[in-house]
Amino acid sequence: MCRNSRGSTAINLDDVPELHFEEGSNLEPLPLYPGPLLLGRDAECDRVIQHKKVSKRHAIIERNKDGWFIQDAGSTNGTTVNGVRCKGPHPIYHQDLIGFGALHATFEARSVPPPPPEAPQRFQRTEPELPTERGPLDLPSRPLRHLATTLWIVVGIGLALFIYLTVLTHQRRGQAFGQVSPPSIGERA
């Protein structure tokens, strides 16, 4: 930081975080200020990223008292940090890889402290524990529900076919559905 001639504090440009886009994207580094900044293809965005895989309103990046955060703004292709999809405000640190759909950029912010030591563990997926035994009121497993649904579809189609053939048979006899036909000459007593 330095002071200008009026005595106010100026921003040291070496401390301004930037997004550095992957090689071959032909995009210049994008400087970031505390924001919040809307990133996307739309000219109305605070920072415009002209790339076909970036949505018009792709992500929001901002700095608050806890550090820098990014979140998806309802984009089509999603926003990721180090391969993990953002489902809300997600902290970002120096050298994190941010994905805007298929376009990737590195968050360069030397002034941002590194993540806490436990940070890599937050990216590990843990599978929920499933009960080993089923109780009497548990729902049937998915394959069984799928089989029941298929069975109801087959029964419905069979019933519809039965009704169609019954109506067709009555029409061929020239009878209206529900009418009783008069006995034929040989049947009269």
Side-chain angles (χ1 to χ4, degrees), residues 15 22 24 30 38 44 49 56 82 96-97 99 104 110-111 114 121 143 151 159 171 174 177 181 183:
D15 291 340
E22 61 193 345
L30 198 64
L38 178 62
E44 298 293 318
I49 305 172
K56 289 181 180 180
N82 298 325
D96 275 351
L97 184 65
H104 294 93
R110 288 172 188 77
S111 63
Q121 294 174 354
L151 182 61
L159 184 61
Q171 286 177 348
F177 190 71
S181 59

Short mmCIF file of all heavy atoms in Angstrom, two decimals, residues 15 22 24 30 38 44 49 56 82 96-97 99 104 110-111 114 121 143 151 159 171 174 177 181 183:
data_model
loop_
_atom_site.label_atom_id
_atom_site.label_comp_id
_atom_site.label_asym_id
_atom_site.label_seq_id
_atom_site.Cartn_x
_atom_site.Cartn_y
_atom_site.Cartn_z
N ASP A 15 -1.08 -6.55 -5.07
CA ASP A 15 -1.97 -7.26 -4.15
C ASP A 15 -3.35 -7.54 -4.75
O ASP A 15 -4.18 -8.15 -4.10
CB ASP A 15 -2.16 -6.47 -2.86
CG ASP A 15 -0.88 -6.43 -2.04
OD1 ASP A 15 -0.02 -7.30 -2.26
OD2 ASP A 15 -0.75 -5.53 -1.19
N GLU A 22 -6.67 -20.54 -18.70
CA GLU A 22 -5.82 -21.58 -19.27
C GLU A 22 -5.28 -21.16 -20.63
O GLU A 22 -5.87 -20.34 -21.33
CB GLU A 22 -6.61 -22.89 -19.39
CG GLU A 22 -7.83 -22.78 -20.30
CD GLU A 22 -8.76 -23.97 -20.18
OE1 GLU A 22 -8.35 -24.99 -19.62
OE2 GLU A 22 -9.90 -23.86 -20.64
N GLY A 24 -4.44 -21.12 -24.44
CA GLY A 24 -5.28 -21.42 -25.59
C GLY A 24 -6.65 -20.77 -25.54
O GLY A 24 -7.40 -20.80 -26.51
N LEU A 30 -7.81 -11.47 -15.52
CA LEU A 30 -8.95 -10.66 -15.11
C LEU A 30 -8.73 -10.18 -13.68
O LEU A 30 -8.74 -10.98 -12.74
CB LEU A 30 -10.20 -11.54 -15.18
CG LEU A 30 -11.55 -10.89 -15.21
CD1 LEU A 30 -11.74 -10.05 -16.46
CD2 LEU A 30 -12.62 -11.96 -15.17
N LEU A 38 -20.06 -9.83 -10.59
CA LEU A 38 -20.76 -10.82 -11.41
C LEU A 38 -19.90 -11.10 -12.62
O LEU A 38 -19.50 -10.18 -13.35
CB LEU A 38 -22.14 -10.29 -11.83
CG LEU A 38 -22.96 -11.18 -12.74
CD1 LEU A 38 -23.28 -12.52 -12.05
CD2 LEU A 38 -24.25 -10.49 -13.14
N GLU A 44 -23.49 -6.68 -19.33
CA GLU A 44 -23.94 -6.07 -18.08
C GLU A 44 -23.17 -6.60 -16.87
O GLU A 44 -23.31 -6.06 -15.78
CB GLU A 44 -25.44 -6.32 -17.89
CG GLU A 44 -26.32 -5.72 -18.96
CD GLU A 44 -26.30 -4.19 -18.93
OE1 GLU A 44 -26.35 -3.61 -17.83
OE2 GLU A 44 -26.23 -3.59 -20.02
N ILE A 49 -16.40 -12.32 -19.48
CA ILE A 49 -15.55 -13.43 -19.93
C ILE A 49 -16.15 -13.92 -21.25
O ILE A 49 -17.17 -14.59 -21.26
CB ILE A 49 -15.51 -14.58 -18.91
CG1 ILE A 49 -15.07 -14.06 -17.53
CG2 ILE A 49 -14.60 -15.69 -19.39
CD1 ILE A 49 -15.18 -15.10 -16.43
N LYS A 56 -24.16 -16.39 -19.64
CA LYS A 56 -24.31 -14.93 -19.62
C LYS A 56 -24.09 -14.37 -18.22
O LYS A 56 -23.48 -13.34 -18.04
CB LYS A 56 -25.68 -14.51 -20.15
CG LYS A 56 -25.84 -14.74 -21.63
CD LYS A 56 -27.20 -14.29 -22.10
CE LYS A 56 -27.35 -14.52 -23.59
NZ LYS A 56 -28.65 -14.11 -24.08
N ASN A 82 -11.29 -26.44 -7.76
CA ASN A 82 -10.45 -27.64 -7.65
C ASN A 82 -11.26 -28.91 -7.93
O ASN A 82 -11.11 -29.92 -7.27
CB ASN A 82 -9.79 -27.71 -6.27
CG ASN A 82 -8.86 -26.54 -6.03
OD1 ASN A 82 -8.22 -26.05 -6.95
ND2 ASN A 82 -8.82 -26.07 -4.79
N ASP A 96 -5.88 -21.77 -6.48
CA ASP A 96 -7.03 -22.66 -6.69
C ASP A 96 -7.42 -22.64 -8.17
O ASP A 96 -7.34 -21.60 -8.84
CB ASP A 96 -8.23 -22.22 -5.85
CG ASP A 96 -8.20 -22.76 -4.44
OD1 ASP A 96 -7.33 -23.62 -4.16
OD2 ASP A 96 -9.03 -22.34 -3.62
N LEU A 97 -7.86 -23.79 -8.67
CA LEU A 97 -8.31 -23.91 -10.06
C LEU A 97 -9.82 -23.75 -10.09
O LEU A 97 -10.55 -24.55 -9.50
CB LEU A 97 -7.90 -25.27 -10.64
CG LEU A 97 -8.23 -25.48 -12.11
CD1 LEU A 97 -7.43 -24.52 -12.99
CD2 LEU A 97 -7.96 -26.91 -12.52
N GLY A 99 -13.29 -23.56 -12.31
CA GLY A 99 -13.87 -23.97 -13.58
C GLY A 99 -15.17 -23.23 -13.85
O GLY A 99 -16.07 -23.23 -13.03
N HIS A 104 -11.17 -23.08 -17.63
CA HIS A 104 -10.53 -23.10 -16.31
C HIS A 104 -9.61 -21.89 -16.15
O HIS A 104 -8.98 -21.45 -17.10
CB HIS A 104 -9.74 -24.39 -16.11
CG HIS A 104 -10.62 -25.58 -16.05
ND1 HIS A 104 -10.93 -26.33 -17.16
CD2 HIS A 104 -11.30 -26.13 -15.02
CE1 HIS A 104 -11.75 -27.30 -16.81
NE2 HIS A 104 -11.99 -27.20 -15.52
N ARG A 110 -1.59 -13.56 -4.11
CA ARG A 110 -0.48 -13.80 -3.18
C ARG A 110 -0.77 -13.26 -1.78
O ARG A 110 -0.24 -13.76 -0.80
CB ARG A 110 0.79 -13.18 -3.74
CG ARG A 110 1.32 -13.95 -4.93
CD ARG A 110 2.48 -13.21 -5.59
NE ARG A 110 2.86 -13.84 -6.82
CZ ARG A 110 2.20 -13.73 -7.97
NH1 ARG A 110 1.10 -13.03 -8.03
NH2 ARG A 110 2.63 -14.33 -9.06
N SER A 111 -1.63 -12.25 -1.69
CA SER A 111 -1.92 -11.66 -0.38
C SER A 111 -2.96 -12.45 0.41
O SER A 111 -3.18 -12.19 1.59
CB SER A 111 -2.43 -10.22 -0.57
OG SER A 111 -3.64 -10.22 -1.29
N PRO A 114 -2.99 -18.90 2.93
CA PRO A 114 -3.29 -20.25 2.44
C PRO A 114 -4.45 -20.86 3.22
O PRO A 114 -4.78 -20.41 4.30
CB PRO A 114 -1.98 -21.01 2.69
CG PRO A 114 -1.31 -20.25 3.77
CD PRO A 114 -1.72 -18.82 3.62
N GLN A 121 -9.24 -32.09 3.40
CA GLN A 121 -10.22 -33.07 3.82
C GLN A 121 -11.64 -32.65 3.45
O GLN A 121 -12.49 -33.49 3.25
CB GLN A 121 -10.13 -33.27 5.33
CG GLN A 121 -8.83 -33.91 5.75
CD GLN A 121 -8.71 -33.98 7.26
OE1 GLN A 121 -9.54 -33.45 7.99
NE2 GLN A 121 -7.66 -34.62 7.73
N PRO A 143 -34.82 -51.48 -7.07
CA PRO A 143 -35.18 -52.46 -8.10
C PRO A 143 -36.58 -53.04 -7.89
O PRO A 143 -37.30 -53.27 -8.85
CB PRO A 143 -34.10 -53.53 -7.97
CG PRO A 143 -32.94 -52.84 -7.35
CD PRO A 143 -33.54 -51.80 -6.45
N LEU A 151 -44.86 -53.66 -13.52
CA LEU A 151 -46.01 -54.56 -13.43
C LEU A 151 -47.31 -53.79 -13.61
O LEU A 151 -48.21 -54.23 -14.34
CB LEU A 151 -45.99 -55.32 -12.10
CG LEU A 151 -47.10 -56.34 -11.90
CD1 LEU A 151 -47.02 -57.42 -12.97
CD2 LEU A 151 -47.03 -56.93 -10.51
N LEU A 159 -55.40 -54.30 -19.59
CA LEU A 159 -56.79 -53.90 -19.38
C LEU A 159 -57.29 -53.05 -20.54
O LEU A 159 -58.41 -53.24 -21.03
CB LEU A 159 -56.92 -53.13 -18.05
CG LEU A 159 -58.33 -52.72 -17.65
CD1 LEU A 159 -59.22 -53.95 -17.48
CD2 LEU A 159 -58.29 -51.91 -16.37
N GLN A 171 -68.82 -54.10 -32.11
CA GLN A 171 -69.04 -53.30 -33.32
C GLN A 171 -69.12 -54.18 -34.55
O GLN A 171 -69.89 -53.92 -35.46
CB GLN A 171 -67.92 -52.27 -33.49
CG GLN A 171 -68.02 -51.11 -32.51
CD GLN A 171 -66.87 -50.15 -32.66
OE1 GLN A 171 -65.88 -50.43 -33.33
NE2 GLN A 171 -66.99 -49.00 -32.02
N GLY A 174 -72.37 -55.56 -35.07
CA GLY A 174 -73.38 -54.56 -35.38
C GLY A 174 -74.19 -54.15 -34.17
O GLY A 174 -75.30 -53.63 -34.30
N PHE A 177 -72.67 -51.09 -27.83
CA PHE A 177 -72.12 -51.64 -26.59
C PHE A 177 -73.18 -51.58 -25.50
O PHE A 177 -73.82 -50.57 -25.28
CB PHE A 177 -70.87 -50.84 -26.17
CG PHE A 177 -70.13 -51.49 -25.05
CD1 PHE A 177 -69.41 -52.66 -25.27
CD2 PHE A 177 -70.15 -50.95 -23.78
CE1 PHE A 177 -68.72 -53.27 -24.24
CE2 PHE A 177 -69.47 -51.55 -22.75
CZ PHE A 177 -68.75 -52.72 -22.99
N SER A 181 -78.37 -58.90 -27.87
CA SER A 181 -78.83 -59.26 -29.21
C SER A 181 -80.04 -60.19 -29.11
O SER A 181 -80.12 -61.01 -28.19
CB SER A 181 -77.69 -59.95 -29.99
OG SER A 181 -77.29 -61.10 -29.30
N PRO A 183 -82.41 -63.33 -29.84
CA PRO A 183 -82.03 -64.72 -30.17
C PRO A 183 -82.24 -65.00 -31.65
O PRO A 183 -83.12 -64.45 -32.29
CB PRO A 183 -82.95 -65.57 -29.30
CG PRO A 183 -84.01 -64.67 -28.82
CD PRO A 183 -83.52 -63.27 -28.96
#
